[in-house]
Amino acid sequence: MPQTLSSTSMFTPCGFSPHLHTSKEGEQGGLIFQDGNLTSASLDALIQHLIPTTDYYPEARIRKFGPKILQLLTEWTETFPYDFQEERMIGHLKDMIHRIAPCDEAYWKKMNQLLQALNQKLATLSHGQEGIVKISTAVSDKLVAFKTKPPSIQREILSVCSDPYTLAQQLTHVELERLSHIGPEEFVQAFVHKDPLDGTKTCFSEQKKTSNLEAYVKWFNRLCYLVATEICMPAKKKQRAQVIEFFIDVARECFNIGNFNSLMAIISGMNMSPVSRLKKTWSKVKTAKFFILEHQMDPTGNFYNYRTALRGAAHRQNKLTSIVIPFFSLLIKDIYFLNEGCANRLPNGHVNFEKFLELAKQVGEFITWKQVECPFEQDPNIIHYLHTAPIFTEDGLYLASYESESPENQTEKDRWKSLRSTILGKT
């Protein structure tokens, strides 16, 4: 992937609009420059500055700014390939290519290579999305039939994988595979219902394309329920305690790897009410390591401890190309509040560069993290179990919990009775 130009270098007048001249500091036609760099602009002036027209393509100067256009198109198609799924956008791209390419045979070859790479990228992304849909459908089919605690089950997690480090590795495989399908444009689609710079124009005429993002959130919820199911499943207290300690070790290994999303899902699963109420079971568990992990993911101070650990992991990645998988729900929340809490325009009507640069920084970090290849060997059996193992619904979890350790108060007794009547058909 070509190196991304900084925002200031991309916006300098020697780039896309050679008809403008800079001053050390001042305003020109709605553009404000400081030390030769564009720092603020109205939307109309910015568009005029960035987008070439027929008048700006004289053959004598094509060699000067043609590479800039090629750099822009290459960066756009590689970073936001979903933007070009519609024929209309492909048409615009080809039109720009035909404007530039006839002036230079080298550009024509490079533009054709760009189109070929874009087609391959779109084919790969479409295949990945279909795979996620198939997996989700298969899991949903199993969930429908598994609403309560069955008398027996063919397999359990410890029979599939008894080594915490190995399971943490396989969870990391799942996380990175699902992250790889999420394009940066899905963040825009998720939060922007109208053009962010014009509240009167709709930005998208069709349904939002956020299926990969939504599938990843569903995976987090599935892992939470899988952890809770595995804990509530065993009939004996000693076995339940053993499963809890196993998942504590898995969570610790996830933390060491830098897989914070699986770490949070495991902690959340163990903190679900049907699990946390199992006091007799927890009395048999060595909880010191669990409390340390909870402290790392404590929401106090806007997840200060987690954010510190994340910065450390990101620093290691810069030096060692290690893994960083953020707690995804918090990342979504951060981007949402940044988008909603900061104005798109400044009081003078100019585009709020600071806001959009910060958005670009956060999404850019995410793109870097998701592109890391998983260094661990994949175990198909474990991966299959994680995707397809049946899990309890919330009611099923409560019923299993009450069957394992009897209700302690009248409220729990009433709920147990209701669940037995509804799910098991017993009174």
Side-chain angles (χ1 to χ4, degrees):
M1 184 173 178
Q3 292 184 350
T4 305
L5 297 174
S6 68
S7 59
T8 52
S9 64
M10 289 181 68
F11 296 157
T12 52
C14 61
F16 296 125
S17 302
H19 61 289
L20 294 176
H21 301 280
T22 62
S23 61
K24 284 192 175 181
E25 186 169 1
E27 181 172 354
Q28 301 176 6
L31 304 172
I32 297 178
F33 296 95
Q34 186 170 1
D35 297 327
N37 294 324
L38 179 61
T39 59
S40 181
S42 65
L43 180 59
D44 290 341
L46 189 61
I47 291 175
Q48 182 183 2
H49 181 55
L50 292 177
I51 300 181
T53 67
T54 305
D55 297 335
Y56 304 153
Y57 284 87
E59 184 173 353
R61 308 198 70 164
I62 189 66
R63 294 182 180 276
K64 180 176 181 180
F65 57 89
K68 294 282 188 177
I69 302 297
L70 179 60
Q71 171 73 20
L72 171 65
L73 294 177
T74 302
E75 198 72 37
W76 188 359
T77 54
E78 289 192 358
T79 307
F80 298 94
Y82 277 126
D83 284 355
F84 297 90
Q85 285 185 310
E86 298 179 1
E87 286 296 327
R88 179 176 60 87
M89 289 299 295
I90 291 291
H92 290 322
L93 179 61
K94 289 181 178 179
D95 178 63
M96 186 170 290
I97 288 174
H98 286 300
R99 290 191 182 198
I100 299 176
C103 301
D104 193 303
E105 184 178 353
Y107 290 144
W108 179 256
K109 292 181 180 179
K110 290 180 180 179
M111 290 296 186
N112 277 329
Q113 292 173 356
L114 183 150
L115 283 175
Q116 292 174 4
L118 176 61
N119 287 332
Q120 293 175 355
K121 184 72 172 178
L122 288 174
T124 301
L125 290 172
S126 297
H127 176 73
Q129 187 169 350
E130 290 173 1
I132 287 179
V133 172
K134 290 179 181 178
I135 290 173
S136 299
T137 302
V139 171
S140 298
D141 291 342
K142 291 210 172 192
L143 293 184
V144 172
F146 195 63
K147 291 186 176 181
T148 185
K149 187 174 183 179
S152 63
I153 188 170
Q154 291 182 345
R155 306 175 80 186
E156 58 185 19
I157 189 64
L158 288 176
S159 68
V160 178
C161 178
S162 59
D163 177 40
Y165 184 53
T166 300
L167 184 57
Q169 291 178 332
Q170 301 312 304
L171 285 170
T172 302
H173 263 293
V174 175
E175 298 280 355
L176 288 175
E177 192 275 333
R178 286 180 174 262
L179 280 179
S180 68
H181 297 299
I182 301 176
E185 71 284 347
E186 292 202 34
F187 292 100
V188 178
Q189 294 268 8
F191 301 133
V192 181
H193 302 287
K194 292 186 177 182
D195 188 315
L197 295 174
D198 189 343
T200 64
K201 297 179 181 178
T202 58
C203 191
F204 308 108
S205 58
E206 56 184 40
Q207 187 176 4
K208 292 188 300 181
K209 298 175 182 177
T210 58
S211 56
N212 295 311
L213 191 151
E214 292 168 4
Y216 190 52
V217 174
K218 290 179 181 178
W219 154 250
F220 178 90
N221 293 333
R222 169 173 171 76
L223 183 54
C224 291
Y225 274 81
L226 178 61
V227 169
T229 298
E230 294 287 344
I231 294 172
C232 291
M233 180 72 69
K236 295 184 178 180
K237 175 173 53 180
K238 182 179 179 180
Q239 293 174 327
R240 293 194 298 273
Q242 182 182 8
V243 175
I244 290 176
E245 290 186 339
F246 172 73
F247 275 117
I248 291 174
D249 289 337
V250 173
R252 183 180 61 177
E253 296 298 343
C254 285
F255 177 84
N256 293 335
I257 290 173
N259 181 356
F260 296 103
N261 201 56
S262 290
L263 165 63
M264 191 55 148
I266 293 171
I267 291 176
S268 298
M270 288 193 286
N271 279 328
M272 292 180 71
S273 296
V275 176
S276 61
R277 66 166 299 276
L278 299 173
K279 296 179 181 179
K280 295 178 181 178
T281 301
W282 281 97
S283 68
K284 300 295 182 180
V285 175
K286 298 176 182 178
T287 56
K289 290 183 290 186
F290 179 65
F291 292 149
I292 292 174
L293 293 171
E294 276 194 314
H295 177 70
Q296 289 292 339
M297 304 305 288
D298 187 348
T300 302
N302 194 20
F303 288 90
Y304 175 81
N305 294 334
Y306 158 71
R307 294 182 189 278
T308 301
L310 181 67
R311 285 195 297 271
H315 179 71
R316 291 196 304 271
Q317 186 190 43
N318 291 337
K319 292 194 172 184
L320 305 175
T321 317
S322 59
I323 293 168
V324 179
I325 302 175
F327 173 28
F328 195 66
S329 294
L330 186 59
L331 174 65
I332 294 292
K333 179 181 176 182
D334 287 344
I335 295 176
Y336 173 80
F337 281 110
L338 175 59
N339 182 60
E340 295 294 320
C342 298
N344 294 317
R345 293 179 184 273
L346 300 175
N348 63 359
H350 285 192
V351 177
N352 187 349
F353 276 28
E354 185 176 358
K355 170 186 175 176
F356 289 107
L357 286 173
E358 183 60 29
L359 282 172
K361 176 185 174 183
Q362 293 197 19
V363 176
E365 285 180 338
F366 168 78
I367 294 174
T368 300
W369 296 336
K370 82 187 188 78
Q371 289 176 338
V372 173
E373 292 187 9
C374 190
F376 311 122
E377 184 178 354
Q378 192 174 40
D379 188 317
N381 291 330
I382 299 176
I383 298 292
H384 179 74
Y385 185 86
L386 292 172
H387 281 312
T388 63
I391 58 176
F392 292 140
T393 62
E394 184 176 6
D395 285 345
L397 282 173
Y398 270 107
L399 180 58
S401 180
Y402 294 145
E403 296 285 343
S404 297
E405 294 188 19
S406 300
E408 295 185 345
N409 53 56
Q410 191 59 46
T411 301
E412 289 190 344
K413 290 179 181 179
D414 292 341
R415 183 167 192 177
W416 183 29
K417 182 178 179 180
S418 175
L419 290 173
R420 287 173 63 87
S421 176
T422 302
I423 298 178
L424 300 180
K426 298 179 180 180
T427 56

Short mmCIF file of all heavy atoms in Angstrom, two decimals, residues 107-134:
data_model
loop_
_atom_site.label_atom_id
_atom_site.label_comp_id
_atom_site.label_asym_id
_atom_site.label_seq_id
_atom_site.Cartn_x
_atom_site.Cartn_y
_atom_site.Cartn_z
N TYR A 107 0.87 6.84 -17.54
CA TYR A 107 -0.30 6.97 -16.67
C TYR A 107 -1.40 6.00 -17.08
O TYR A 107 -2.13 5.47 -16.25
CB TYR A 107 -0.83 8.41 -16.70
CG TYR A 107 0.07 9.40 -16.02
CD1 TYR A 107 0.21 10.69 -16.52
CD2 TYR A 107 0.79 9.06 -14.88
CE1 TYR A 107 1.05 11.60 -15.90
CE2 TYR A 107 1.62 9.96 -14.27
CZ TYR A 107 1.75 11.23 -14.78
OH TYR A 107 2.58 12.13 -14.16
N TRP A 108 -1.54 5.80 -18.39
CA TRP A 108 -2.56 4.89 -18.89
C TRP A 108 -2.33 3.48 -18.34
O TRP A 108 -3.26 2.81 -17.88
CB TRP A 108 -2.54 4.89 -20.41
CG TRP A 108 -3.54 3.96 -21.04
CD1 TRP A 108 -3.31 2.75 -21.63
CD2 TRP A 108 -4.96 4.17 -21.13
NE1 TRP A 108 -4.46 2.20 -22.07
CE2 TRP A 108 -5.50 3.04 -21.79
CE3 TRP A 108 -5.80 5.20 -20.73
CZ2 TRP A 108 -6.86 2.92 -22.04
CZ3 TRP A 108 -7.15 5.07 -20.99
CH2 TRP A 108 -7.67 3.95 -21.64
N LYS A 109 -1.09 3.02 -18.34
CA LYS A 109 -0.77 1.69 -17.82
C LYS A 109 -1.04 1.62 -16.31
O LYS A 109 -1.60 0.65 -15.80
CB LYS A 109 0.69 1.35 -18.11
CG LYS A 109 0.99 1.15 -19.59
CD LYS A 109 2.45 0.80 -19.81
CE LYS A 109 2.74 0.59 -21.29
NZ LYS A 109 4.17 0.27 -21.53
N LYS A 110 -0.63 2.67 -15.61
CA LYS A 110 -0.82 2.68 -14.16
C LYS A 110 -2.29 2.72 -13.79
O LYS A 110 -2.73 2.08 -12.82
CB LYS A 110 -0.08 3.88 -13.55
CG LYS A 110 1.44 3.75 -13.60
CD LYS A 110 2.11 4.96 -12.99
CE LYS A 110 3.63 4.83 -13.03
NZ LYS A 110 4.32 6.01 -12.45
N MET A 111 -3.08 3.46 -14.55
CA MET A 111 -4.51 3.53 -14.28
C MET A 111 -5.20 2.20 -14.53
O MET A 111 -6.10 1.79 -13.79
CB MET A 111 -5.16 4.63 -15.14
CG MET A 111 -4.77 6.03 -14.72
SD MET A 111 -5.34 6.43 -13.05
CE MET A 111 -4.88 8.16 -12.93
N ASN A 112 -4.78 1.50 -15.59
CA ASN A 112 -5.33 0.17 -15.85
C ASN A 112 -4.98 -0.80 -14.72
O ASN A 112 -5.79 -1.63 -14.31
CB ASN A 112 -4.82 -0.36 -17.19
CG ASN A 112 -5.61 0.16 -18.37
OD1 ASN A 112 -6.80 0.44 -18.24
ND2 ASN A 112 -4.96 0.32 -19.51
N GLN A 113 -3.76 -0.70 -14.22
CA GLN A 113 -3.36 -1.52 -13.08
C GLN A 113 -4.20 -1.20 -11.85
O GLN A 113 -4.58 -2.10 -11.09
CB GLN A 113 -1.88 -1.30 -12.77
CG GLN A 113 -0.94 -1.82 -13.85
CD GLN A 113 0.50 -1.43 -13.60
OE1 GLN A 113 0.82 -0.70 -12.66
NE2 GLN A 113 1.39 -1.91 -14.45
N LEU A 114 -4.51 0.08 -11.68
CA LEU A 114 -5.35 0.50 -10.55
C LEU A 114 -6.73 -0.13 -10.64
O LEU A 114 -7.27 -0.65 -9.66
CB LEU A 114 -5.45 2.03 -10.53
CG LEU A 114 -6.23 2.70 -9.39
CD1 LEU A 114 -5.62 4.07 -9.12
CD2 LEU A 114 -7.71 2.88 -9.73
N LEU A 115 -7.32 -0.11 -11.83
CA LEU A 115 -8.65 -0.70 -12.01
C LEU A 115 -8.63 -2.20 -11.78
O LEU A 115 -9.55 -2.77 -11.17
CB LEU A 115 -9.17 -0.40 -13.42
CG LEU A 115 -9.69 1.02 -13.67
CD1 LEU A 115 -10.04 1.20 -15.14
CD2 LEU A 115 -10.91 1.30 -12.80
N GLN A 116 -7.60 -2.88 -12.25
CA GLN A 116 -7.50 -4.33 -12.04
C GLN A 116 -7.37 -4.66 -10.56
O GLN A 116 -8.01 -5.60 -10.06
CB GLN A 116 -6.30 -4.87 -12.82
CG GLN A 116 -6.47 -4.81 -14.34
CD GLN A 116 -5.20 -5.21 -15.08
OE1 GLN A 116 -4.21 -5.62 -14.46
NE2 GLN A 116 -5.23 -5.09 -16.40
N ALA A 117 -6.55 -3.89 -9.85
CA ALA A 117 -6.38 -4.12 -8.41
C ALA A 117 -7.69 -3.87 -7.66
O ALA A 117 -8.03 -4.60 -6.73
CB ALA A 117 -5.28 -3.21 -7.86
N LEU A 118 -8.44 -2.85 -8.09
CA LEU A 118 -9.71 -2.54 -7.45
C LEU A 118 -10.70 -3.69 -7.65
O LEU A 118 -11.40 -4.09 -6.72
CB LEU A 118 -10.29 -1.25 -8.02
CG LEU A 118 -11.68 -0.85 -7.53
CD1 LEU A 118 -11.68 -0.63 -6.01
CD2 LEU A 118 -12.16 0.42 -8.23
N ASN A 119 -10.76 -4.24 -8.86
CA ASN A 119 -11.67 -5.35 -9.13
C ASN A 119 -11.33 -6.57 -8.27
O ASN A 119 -12.22 -7.25 -7.74
CB ASN A 119 -11.61 -5.73 -10.61
CG ASN A 119 -12.29 -4.70 -11.50
OD1 ASN A 119 -13.21 -4.03 -11.06
ND2 ASN A 119 -11.84 -4.58 -12.74
N GLN A 120 -10.04 -6.86 -8.12
CA GLN A 120 -9.63 -7.99 -7.28
C GLN A 120 -9.99 -7.75 -5.82
O GLN A 120 -10.44 -8.67 -5.12
CB GLN A 120 -8.12 -8.21 -7.42
CG GLN A 120 -7.70 -8.69 -8.81
CD GLN A 120 -6.19 -8.79 -8.95
OE1 GLN A 120 -5.44 -8.42 -8.03
NE2 GLN A 120 -5.74 -9.30 -10.08
N LYS A 121 -9.81 -6.52 -5.36
CA LYS A 121 -10.13 -6.18 -3.97
C LYS A 121 -11.61 -6.34 -3.70
O LYS A 121 -12.02 -6.92 -2.69
CB LYS A 121 -9.70 -4.74 -3.69
CG LYS A 121 -9.89 -4.29 -2.24
CD LYS A 121 -8.89 -4.93 -1.32
CE LYS A 121 -8.96 -4.32 0.07
NZ LYS A 121 -8.04 -4.96 1.03
N LEU A 122 -12.45 -5.86 -4.62
CA LEU A 122 -13.90 -5.97 -4.45
C LEU A 122 -14.33 -7.41 -4.45
O LEU A 122 -15.22 -7.81 -3.70
CB LEU A 122 -14.62 -5.18 -5.55
CG LEU A 122 -14.54 -3.65 -5.45
CD1 LEU A 122 -15.17 -3.01 -6.68
CD2 LEU A 122 -15.24 -3.15 -4.19
N ALA A 123 -13.71 -8.24 -5.30
CA ALA A 123 -14.05 -9.67 -5.35
C ALA A 123 -13.70 -10.35 -4.04
O ALA A 123 -14.47 -11.16 -3.51
CB ALA A 123 -13.33 -10.34 -6.51
N THR A 124 -12.54 -10.00 -3.48
CA THR A 124 -12.11 -10.59 -2.20
C THR A 124 -13.04 -10.19 -1.07
O THR A 124 -13.45 -11.02 -0.25
CB THR A 124 -10.68 -10.14 -1.86
OG1 THR A 124 -9.80 -10.56 -2.91
CG2 THR A 124 -10.22 -10.75 -0.54
N LEU A 125 -13.41 -8.92 -1.01
CA LEU A 125 -14.29 -8.43 0.05
C LEU A 125 -15.67 -9.06 -0.04
O LEU A 125 -16.27 -9.43 0.97
CB LEU A 125 -14.40 -6.91 -0.02
CG LEU A 125 -13.13 -6.14 0.36
CD1 LEU A 125 -13.30 -4.66 0.07
CD2 LEU A 125 -12.79 -6.35 1.83
N SER A 126 -16.19 -9.22 -1.25
CA SER A 126 -17.50 -9.83 -1.43
C SER A 126 -17.49 -11.27 -0.97
O SER A 126 -18.41 -11.74 -0.30
CB SER A 126 -17.92 -9.76 -2.90
OG SER A 126 -18.04 -8.43 -3.33
N HIS A 127 -16.40 -11.99 -1.25
CA HIS A 127 -16.29 -13.38 -0.82
C HIS A 127 -16.24 -13.48 0.69
O HIS A 127 -16.91 -14.31 1.30
CB HIS A 127 -15.02 -14.01 -1.41
CG HIS A 127 -14.76 -15.41 -0.94
ND1 HIS A 127 -15.52 -16.49 -1.37
CD2 HIS A 127 -13.86 -15.91 -0.06
CE1 HIS A 127 -15.07 -17.60 -0.79
NE2 HIS A 127 -14.06 -17.26 0.01
N GLY A 128 -15.49 -12.58 1.32
CA GLY A 128 -15.39 -12.59 2.78
C GLY A 128 -16.72 -12.31 3.44
O GLY A 128 -17.09 -12.93 4.43
N GLN A 129 -17.49 -11.36 2.88
CA GLN A 129 -18.78 -11.00 3.46
C GLN A 129 -19.76 -12.16 3.35
O GLN A 129 -20.52 -12.45 4.26
CB GLN A 129 -19.33 -9.77 2.75
CG GLN A 129 -20.59 -9.21 3.40
CD GLN A 129 -20.95 -7.85 2.85
OE1 GLN A 129 -20.19 -7.24 2.12
NE2 GLN A 129 -22.11 -7.38 3.18
N GLU A 130 -19.72 -12.89 2.20
CA GLU A 130 -20.60 -14.04 2.04
C GLU A 130 -20.27 -15.11 3.06
O GLU A 130 -21.15 -15.78 3.60
CB GLU A 130 -20.45 -14.60 0.62
CG GLU A 130 -21.04 -13.69 -0.46
CD GLU A 130 -20.72 -14.19 -1.85
OE1 GLU A 130 -20.06 -15.25 -1.96
OE2 GLU A 130 -21.11 -13.52 -2.82
N GLY A 131 -18.96 -15.28 3.35
CA GLY A 131 -18.56 -16.28 4.34
C GLY A 131 -19.10 -15.97 5.71
O GLY A 131 -19.56 -16.85 6.43
N ILE A 132 -19.07 -14.69 6.10
CA ILE A 132 -19.59 -14.28 7.40
C ILE A 132 -21.09 -14.54 7.49
O ILE A 132 -21.60 -15.00 8.50
CB ILE A 132 -19.28 -12.80 7.66
CG1 ILE A 132 -17.79 -12.62 7.95
CG2 ILE A 132 -20.09 -12.25 8.82
CD1 ILE A 132 -17.38 -11.20 8.19
N VAL A 133 -21.81 -14.24 6.40
CA VAL A 133 -23.25 -14.48 6.39
C VAL A 133 -23.56 -15.95 6.57
O VAL A 133 -24.45 -16.34 7.33
CB VAL A 133 -23.86 -13.96 5.07
CG1 VAL A 133 -25.31 -14.38 4.96
CG2 VAL A 133 -23.74 -12.45 4.99
N LYS A 134 -22.79 -16.83 5.90
CA LYS A 134 -23.02 -18.27 6.02
C LYS A 134 -22.76 -18.75 7.45
O LYS A 134 -23.51 -19.54 7.99
CB LYS A 134 -22.11 -19.02 5.04
CG LYS A 134 -22.51 -18.83 3.58
CD LYS A 134 -21.55 -19.57 2.65
CE LYS A 134 -21.93 -19.37 1.20
NZ LYS A 134 -20.98 -20.05 0.28
#
